[in-house]
mmCIF file of all heavy atoms in Angstrom:
data_model
loop_
_atom_site.group_PDB
_atom_site.id
_atom_site.type_symbol
_atom_site.label_atom_id
_atom_site.label_comp_id
_atom_site.label_asym_id
_atom_site.label_seq_id
_atom_site.Cartn_x
_atom_site.Cartn_y
_atom_site.Cartn_z
ATOM 1 N N ASP N 10 -6.674 9.981 -7.651
ATOM 2 C CA ASP N 10 -7.290 9.209 -6.596
ATOM 3 C C ASP N 10 -8.651 9.975 -6.176
ATOM 4 O O ASP N 10 -9.613 9.270 -5.978
ATOM 5 C CB ASP N 10 -6.429 9.234 -5.393
ATOM 6 C CG ASP N 10 -5.043 8.400 -5.633
ATOM 7 O OD1 ASP N 10 -5.100 7.618 -6.483
ATOM 8 O OD2 ASP N 10 -4.030 8.670 -4.890
ATOM 9 N N ARG N 11 -8.574 11.166 -6.144
ATOM 10 C CA ARG N 11 -9.768 11.890 -5.608
ATOM 11 C C ARG N 11 -10.966 11.830 -6.542
ATOM 12 O O ARG N 11 -12.104 11.695 -6.306
ATOM 13 C CB ARG N 11 -9.372 13.269 -5.372
ATOM 14 C CG ARG N 11 -8.479 13.530 -4.097
ATOM 15 C CD ARG N 11 -8.259 14.953 -3.699
ATOM 16 N NE ARG N 11 -7.556 15.070 -2.424
ATOM 17 C CZ ARG N 11 -6.234 15.028 -2.234
ATOM 18 N NH1 ARG N 11 -5.396 14.972 -3.273
ATOM 19 N NH2 ARG N 11 -5.771 15.093 -1.109
ATOM 20 N N GLU N 12 -10.568 11.784 -7.939
ATOM 21 C CA GLU N 12 -11.505 11.483 -8.961
ATOM 22 C C GLU N 12 -12.269 10.278 -8.838
ATOM 23 O O GLU N 12 -13.439 9.984 -8.984
ATOM 24 C CB GLU N 12 -11.026 11.830 -10.288
ATOM 25 C CG GLU N 12 -10.728 13.264 -10.552
ATOM 26 C CD GLU N 12 -9.881 13.502 -11.850
ATOM 27 O OE1 GLU N 12 -9.646 12.505 -12.639
ATOM 28 O OE2 GLU N 12 -9.514 14.672 -12.195
ATOM 29 N N SER N 13 -11.316 9.240 -8.452
ATOM 30 C CA SER N 13 -11.802 7.893 -8.390
ATOM 31 C C SER N 13 -12.629 7.715 -7.184
ATOM 32 O O SER N 13 -13.742 6.961 -7.173
ATOM 33 C CB SER N 13 -10.702 6.882 -8.175
ATOM 34 O OG SER N 13 -9.866 6.844 -9.382
ATOM 35 N N ILE N 14 -12.520 8.447 -6.043
ATOM 36 C CA ILE N 14 -13.303 8.484 -4.975
ATOM 37 C C ILE N 14 -14.546 9.060 -5.241
ATOM 38 O O ILE N 14 -15.636 8.427 -4.840
ATOM 39 C CB ILE N 14 -12.675 9.290 -3.794
ATOM 40 C CG1 ILE N 14 -11.380 8.567 -3.268
ATOM 41 C CG2 ILE N 14 -13.600 9.381 -2.657
ATOM 42 C CD1 ILE N 14 -10.494 9.438 -2.295
ATOM 43 N N VAL N 15 -14.744 10.138 -5.939
ATOM 44 C CA VAL N 15 -15.974 10.648 -6.430
ATOM 45 C C VAL N 15 -16.792 9.605 -7.164
ATOM 46 O O VAL N 15 -17.944 9.433 -6.983
ATOM 47 C CB VAL N 15 -15.765 12.000 -7.356
ATOM 48 C CG1 VAL N 15 -16.995 12.381 -7.938
ATOM 49 C CG2 VAL N 15 -15.166 13.076 -6.461
ATOM 50 N N VAL N 16 -16.150 8.975 -8.086
ATOM 51 C CA VAL N 16 -16.820 8.047 -8.957
ATOM 52 C C VAL N 16 -17.333 6.802 -8.036
ATOM 53 O O VAL N 16 -18.402 6.305 -8.226
ATOM 54 C CB VAL N 16 -16.082 7.539 -10.093
ATOM 55 C CG1 VAL N 16 -16.543 6.290 -10.832
ATOM 56 C CG2 VAL N 16 -15.730 8.577 -11.086
ATOM 57 N N GLY N 17 -16.502 6.392 -7.281
ATOM 58 C CA GLY N 17 -16.713 5.182 -6.334
ATOM 59 C C GLY N 17 -17.939 5.574 -5.439
ATOM 60 O O GLY N 17 -18.961 4.803 -5.271
ATOM 61 N N LEU N 18 -17.979 6.840 -4.967
ATOM 62 C CA LEU N 18 -19.145 7.192 -3.960
ATOM 63 C C LEU N 18 -20.456 7.196 -4.800
ATOM 64 O O LEU N 18 -21.474 6.913 -4.359
ATOM 65 C CB LEU N 18 -18.813 8.556 -3.386
ATOM 66 C CG LEU N 18 -17.796 8.476 -2.341
ATOM 67 C CD1 LEU N 18 -17.350 9.939 -1.850
ATOM 68 C CD2 LEU N 18 -18.267 7.748 -0.986
ATOM 69 N N ARG N 19 -20.313 7.766 -6.173
ATOM 70 C CA ARG N 19 -21.526 7.896 -6.933
ATOM 71 C C ARG N 19 -22.154 6.528 -7.259
ATOM 72 O O ARG N 19 -23.309 6.360 -7.317
ATOM 73 C CB ARG N 19 -21.154 8.594 -8.162
ATOM 74 C CG ARG N 19 -21.030 10.143 -7.961
ATOM 75 C CD ARG N 19 -20.924 10.759 -9.302
ATOM 76 N NE ARG N 19 -20.773 12.297 -8.952
ATOM 77 C CZ ARG N 19 -20.096 13.024 -9.824
ATOM 78 N NH1 ARG N 19 -19.658 12.644 -10.914
ATOM 79 N NH2 ARG N 19 -20.030 14.344 -9.494
ATOM 80 N N VAL N 20 -21.367 5.552 -7.432
ATOM 81 C CA VAL N 20 -21.782 4.210 -7.930
ATOM 82 C C VAL N 20 -22.026 3.352 -6.643
ATOM 83 O O VAL N 20 -22.517 2.229 -6.834
ATOM 84 C CB VAL N 20 -20.883 3.465 -8.809
ATOM 85 C CG1 VAL N 20 -20.733 4.258 -10.208
ATOM 86 C CG2 VAL N 20 -19.574 3.181 -8.342
ATOM 87 N N GLY N 21 -21.783 3.919 -5.462
ATOM 88 C CA GLY N 21 -22.078 3.112 -4.253
ATOM 89 C C GLY N 21 -21.142 2.145 -3.711
ATOM 90 O O GLY N 21 -21.458 1.271 -2.930
ATOM 91 N N LEU N 22 -19.808 2.342 -4.162
ATOM 92 C CA LEU N 22 -18.816 1.361 -3.645
ATOM 93 C C LEU N 22 -18.457 1.760 -2.174
ATOM 94 O O LEU N 22 -18.665 2.809 -1.815
ATOM 95 C CB LEU N 22 -17.505 1.514 -4.416
ATOM 96 C CG LEU N 22 -17.443 1.124 -5.848
ATOM 97 C CD1 LEU N 22 -16.084 1.559 -6.546
ATOM 98 C CD2 LEU N 22 -17.877 -0.331 -6.020
ATOM 99 N N SER N 23 -18.132 0.799 -1.429
ATOM 100 C CA SER N 23 -17.730 1.076 -0.043
ATOM 101 C C SER N 23 -16.383 1.533 0.038
ATOM 102 O O SER N 23 -15.512 1.402 -1.035
ATOM 103 C CB SER N 23 -17.699 -0.316 0.762
ATOM 104 O OG SER N 23 -16.754 -1.149 0.416
ATOM 105 N N LEU N 24 -15.903 2.227 1.025
ATOM 106 C CA LEU N 24 -14.620 2.818 1.126
ATOM 107 C C LEU N 24 -13.598 1.638 1.129
ATOM 108 O O LEU N 24 -12.462 1.907 0.601
ATOM 109 C CB LEU N 24 -14.434 3.490 2.475
ATOM 110 C CG LEU N 24 -15.227 4.831 2.600
ATOM 111 C CD1 LEU N 24 -15.088 5.417 4.028
ATOM 112 C CD2 LEU N 24 -14.833 5.884 1.530
ATOM 113 N N SER N 25 -13.860 0.595 1.560
ATOM 114 C CA SER N 25 -12.982 -0.648 1.636
ATOM 115 C C SER N 25 -12.733 -1.277 0.052
ATOM 116 O O SER N 25 -11.612 -1.394 -0.145
ATOM 117 C CB SER N 25 -13.515 -1.905 2.421
ATOM 118 O OG SER N 25 -13.565 -1.559 3.707
ATOM 119 N N GLU N 26 -13.761 -1.094 -0.652
ATOM 120 C CA GLU N 26 -13.578 -1.518 -2.146
ATOM 121 C C GLU N 26 -12.733 -0.525 -2.832
ATOM 122 O O GLU N 26 -11.897 -0.904 -3.611
ATOM 123 C CB GLU N 26 -15.000 -1.607 -2.711
ATOM 124 C CG GLU N 26 -15.727 -2.811 -2.237
ATOM 125 C CD GLU N 26 -17.143 -2.790 -2.778
ATOM 126 O OE1 GLU N 26 -17.895 -1.721 -2.753
ATOM 127 O OE2 GLU N 26 -17.727 -3.776 -3.094
ATOM 128 N N MET N 27 -13.041 0.846 -2.530
ATOM 129 C CA MET N 27 -12.234 1.917 -3.270
ATOM 130 C C MET N 27 -10.832 1.807 -2.736
ATOM 131 O O MET N 27 -9.907 1.949 -3.574
ATOM 132 C CB MET N 27 -12.844 3.306 -2.889
ATOM 133 C CG MET N 27 -14.196 3.484 -3.696
ATOM 134 S SD MET N 27 -14.801 5.253 -3.389
ATOM 135 C CE MET N 27 -15.539 5.074 -1.873
ATOM 136 N N ALA N 28 -10.643 1.525 -1.513
ATOM 137 C CA ALA N 28 -9.366 1.541 -1.054
ATOM 138 C C ALA N 28 -8.403 0.432 -1.518
ATOM 139 O O ALA N 28 -7.298 0.566 -2.011
ATOM 140 C CB ALA N 28 -9.333 1.374 0.518
ATOM 141 N N LYS N 29 -9.213 -0.762 -1.806
ATOM 142 C CA LYS N 29 -8.435 -1.904 -2.383
ATOM 143 C C LYS N 29 -7.924 -1.486 -3.876
ATOM 144 O O LYS N 29 -6.928 -1.859 -4.154
ATOM 145 C CB LYS N 29 -9.232 -3.079 -2.297
ATOM 146 C CG LYS N 29 -8.643 -4.343 -2.751
ATOM 147 C CD LYS N 29 -9.589 -5.518 -2.624
ATOM 148 C CE LYS N 29 -9.574 -6.028 -1.236
ATOM 149 N NZ LYS N 29 -10.349 -7.221 -1.073
ATOM 150 N N HIS N 30 -8.961 -0.879 -4.443
ATOM 151 C CA HIS N 30 -8.790 -0.547 -5.932
ATOM 152 C C HIS N 30 -7.702 0.437 -6.133
ATOM 153 O O HIS N 30 -6.718 0.386 -6.993
ATOM 154 C CB HIS N 30 -10.057 -0.001 -6.434
ATOM 155 C CG HIS N 30 -9.810 0.576 -7.976
ATOM 156 N ND1 HIS N 30 -9.618 -0.098 -9.012
ATOM 157 C CD2 HIS N 30 -9.787 1.870 -8.303
ATOM 158 C CE1 HIS N 30 -9.565 0.621 -9.985
ATOM 159 N NE2 HIS N 30 -9.565 2.010 -9.599
ATOM 160 N N LEU N 31 -7.499 1.508 -5.112
ATOM 161 C CA LEU N 31 -6.516 2.487 -5.169
ATOM 162 C C LEU N 31 -5.173 2.007 -4.480
ATOM 163 O O LEU N 31 -4.199 2.668 -4.578
ATOM 164 C CB LEU N 31 -7.032 3.888 -4.469
ATOM 165 C CG LEU N 31 -8.250 4.444 -5.104
ATOM 166 C CD1 LEU N 31 -8.748 5.609 -4.282
ATOM 167 C CD2 LEU N 31 -7.764 4.984 -6.492
ATOM 168 N N GLY N 32 -5.228 0.902 -3.778
ATOM 169 C CA GLY N 32 -3.952 0.521 -3.174
ATOM 170 C C GLY N 32 -3.658 1.214 -1.897
ATOM 171 O O GLY N 32 -2.584 1.533 -1.681
ATOM 172 N N ARG N 33 -4.704 1.822 -1.212
ATOM 173 C CA ARG N 33 -4.603 2.675 -0.142
ATOM 174 C C ARG N 33 -5.310 1.921 1.083
ATOM 175 O O ARG N 33 -6.073 0.992 0.928
ATOM 176 C CB ARG N 33 -5.271 4.024 -0.270
ATOM 177 C CG ARG N 33 -4.814 4.682 -1.501
ATOM 178 C CD ARG N 33 -3.328 5.164 -1.299
ATOM 179 N NE ARG N 33 -3.007 5.891 -2.455
ATOM 180 C CZ ARG N 33 -2.276 6.921 -2.555
ATOM 181 N NH1 ARG N 33 -1.853 7.458 -1.321
ATOM 182 N NH2 ARG N 33 -1.930 7.610 -3.654
ATOM 183 N N HIS N 34 -4.997 2.374 2.314
ATOM 184 C CA HIS N 34 -5.672 1.803 3.503
ATOM 185 C C HIS N 34 -7.032 2.539 3.571
ATOM 186 O O HIS N 34 -7.244 3.805 3.200
ATOM 187 C CB HIS N 34 -4.838 2.085 4.858
ATOM 188 C CG HIS N 34 -5.462 1.304 5.862
ATOM 189 N ND1 HIS N 34 -6.447 1.681 6.642
ATOM 190 C CD2 HIS N 34 -4.964 0.073 6.337
ATOM 191 C CE1 HIS N 34 -6.554 0.753 7.563
ATOM 192 N NE2 HIS N 34 -5.702 -0.224 7.456
ATOM 193 N N ARG N 35 -8.073 1.756 3.986
ATOM 194 C CA ARG N 35 -9.433 2.316 4.175
ATOM 195 C C ARG N 35 -9.498 3.503 5.091
ATOM 196 O O ARG N 35 -10.347 4.434 4.797
ATOM 197 C CB ARG N 35 -10.337 1.218 4.670
ATOM 198 C CG ARG N 35 -11.819 1.686 4.729
ATOM 199 C CD ARG N 35 -12.707 0.641 5.459
ATOM 200 N NE ARG N 35 -13.280 0.844 6.594
ATOM 201 C CZ ARG N 35 -13.806 2.007 7.191
ATOM 202 N NH1 ARG N 35 -13.734 3.028 6.511
ATOM 203 N NH2 ARG N 35 -14.491 2.039 8.228
ATOM 204 N N SER N 36 -8.731 3.670 5.963
ATOM 205 C CA SER N 36 -8.685 4.795 6.971
ATOM 206 C C SER N 36 -8.282 6.086 6.241
ATOM 207 O O SER N 36 -8.861 7.117 6.586
ATOM 208 C CB SER N 36 -7.850 4.533 8.192
ATOM 209 O OG SER N 36 -6.572 4.374 7.871
ATOM 210 N N ILE N 37 -7.396 5.930 5.227
ATOM 211 C CA ILE N 37 -6.950 7.155 4.501
ATOM 212 C C ILE N 37 -8.135 7.708 3.750
ATOM 213 O O ILE N 37 -8.526 8.875 3.620
ATOM 214 C CB ILE N 37 -5.835 6.854 3.582
ATOM 215 C CG1 ILE N 37 -4.599 6.476 4.399
ATOM 216 C CG2 ILE N 37 -5.626 8.019 2.608
ATOM 217 C CD1 ILE N 37 -3.526 5.985 3.529
ATOM 218 N N LEU N 38 -8.895 6.811 3.136
ATOM 219 C CA LEU N 38 -10.142 7.277 2.371
ATOM 220 C C LEU N 38 -11.229 7.874 3.269
ATOM 221 O O LEU N 38 -11.858 8.828 2.956
ATOM 222 C CB LEU N 38 -10.598 6.123 1.459
ATOM 223 C CG LEU N 38 -10.033 6.135 0.044
ATOM 224 C CD1 LEU N 38 -8.598 5.882 0.126
ATOM 225 C CD2 LEU N 38 -10.799 5.051 -0.690
ATOM 226 N N SER N 39 -11.357 7.117 4.426
ATOM 227 C CA SER N 39 -12.362 7.546 5.381
ATOM 228 C C SER N 39 -12.223 8.979 5.753
ATOM 229 O O SER N 39 -12.979 9.921 5.860
ATOM 230 C CB SER N 39 -12.320 6.702 6.589
ATOM 231 O OG SER N 39 -13.331 7.087 7.535
ATOM 232 N N ARG N 40 -10.895 9.240 6.259
ATOM 233 C CA ARG N 40 -10.489 10.710 6.686
ATOM 234 C C ARG N 40 -10.673 11.729 5.577
ATOM 235 O O ARG N 40 -11.165 12.755 5.706
ATOM 236 C CB ARG N 40 -9.087 10.707 7.265
ATOM 237 C CG ARG N 40 -8.918 10.163 8.461
ATOM 238 C CD ARG N 40 -7.503 10.423 9.190
ATOM 239 N NE ARG N 40 -6.428 9.793 8.324
ATOM 240 C CZ ARG N 40 -5.947 8.592 8.440
ATOM 241 N NH1 ARG N 40 -6.408 7.828 9.483
ATOM 242 N NH2 ARG N 40 -4.947 8.207 7.800
ATOM 243 N N GLU N 41 -10.215 11.306 4.425
ATOM 244 C CA GLU N 41 -10.303 12.152 3.208
ATOM 245 C C GLU N 41 -11.773 12.499 2.921
ATOM 246 O O GLU N 41 -12.128 13.751 2.736
ATOM 247 C CB GLU N 41 -9.712 11.501 1.938
ATOM 248 C CG GLU N 41 -10.008 12.135 0.643
ATOM 249 C CD GLU N 41 -9.275 13.315 0.555
ATOM 250 O OE1 GLU N 41 -8.162 13.727 1.225
ATOM 251 O OE2 GLU N 41 -9.454 14.160 -0.559
ATOM 252 N N VAL N 42 -12.607 11.510 2.903
ATOM 253 C CA VAL N 42 -14.075 11.827 2.596
ATOM 254 C C VAL N 42 -14.772 12.651 3.715
ATOM 255 O O VAL N 42 -15.437 13.634 3.362
ATOM 256 C CB VAL N 42 -14.850 10.552 2.338
ATOM 257 C CG1 VAL N 42 -16.382 10.726 2.380
ATOM 258 C CG2 VAL N 42 -14.289 9.871 1.019
ATOM 259 N N HIS N 43 -14.581 12.243 4.901
ATOM 260 C CA HIS N 43 -15.232 12.962 6.183
ATOM 261 C C HIS N 43 -14.624 14.437 6.215
ATOM 262 O O HIS N 43 -15.266 15.308 6.685
ATOM 263 C CB HIS N 43 -15.103 12.176 7.355
ATOM 264 C CG HIS N 43 -15.996 10.967 7.219
ATOM 265 N ND1 HIS N 43 -17.232 10.957 7.197
ATOM 266 C CD2 HIS N 43 -15.671 9.693 7.176
ATOM 267 C CE1 HIS N 43 -17.719 9.737 7.045
ATOM 268 N NE2 HIS N 43 -16.774 8.890 7.052
ATOM 269 N N ARG N 44 -13.407 14.672 5.844
ATOM 270 C CA ARG N 44 -12.686 15.942 5.969
ATOM 271 C C ARG N 44 -13.201 16.901 4.998
ATOM 272 O O ARG N 44 -13.118 18.073 5.044
ATOM 273 C CB ARG N 44 -11.132 15.699 5.822
ATOM 274 C CG ARG N 44 -10.294 16.929 5.996
ATOM 275 C CD ARG N 44 -8.935 16.673 5.754
ATOM 276 N NE ARG N 44 -8.334 15.784 6.688
ATOM 277 C CZ ARG N 44 -7.676 14.741 6.530
ATOM 278 N NH1 ARG N 44 -7.319 14.555 5.112
ATOM 279 N NH2 ARG N 44 -7.149 13.937 7.482
ATOM 280 N N ASN N 45 -13.737 16.350 3.831
ATOM 281 C CA ASN N 45 -14.126 17.077 2.554
ATOM 282 C C ASN N 45 -15.563 16.990 2.154
ATOM 283 O O ASN N 45 -15.759 16.846 1.077
ATOM 284 C CB ASN N 45 -13.087 16.736 1.552
ATOM 285 C CG ASN N 45 -11.731 17.182 1.789
ATOM 286 O OD1 ASN N 45 -11.429 18.401 1.811
ATOM 287 N ND2 ASN N 45 -10.793 16.155 1.982
ATOM 288 N N GLY N 46 -16.420 16.958 3.098
ATOM 289 C CA GLY N 46 -17.838 16.997 2.766
ATOM 290 C C GLY N 46 -18.666 15.778 3.101
ATOM 291 O O GLY N 46 -19.807 15.849 2.954
ATOM 292 N N GLY N 47 -18.001 14.752 3.505
ATOM 293 C CA GLY N 47 -18.784 13.432 3.777
ATOM 294 C C GLY N 47 -19.264 12.678 2.545
ATOM 295 O O GLY N 47 -19.059 13.238 1.423
#
Side-chain angles (χ1 to χ4, degrees):
D10 292 338
R11 290 183 171 94
E12 290 171 2
S13 295
I14 293 170
V15 170
V16 171
L18 289 170
R19 285 188 184 153
V20 298
L22 294 177
S23 70
L24 292 176
S25 295
E26 292 169 318
M27 287 187 276
K29 186 178 284 188
H30 171 75
L31 293 172
R33 307 294 179 137
H34 196 277
R35 184 183 116 31
S36 65
I37 292 171
L38 271 61
S39 178
R40 283 191 300 270
E41 170 73 10
V42 169
H43 292 297
R44 182 183 298 132
N45 293 291

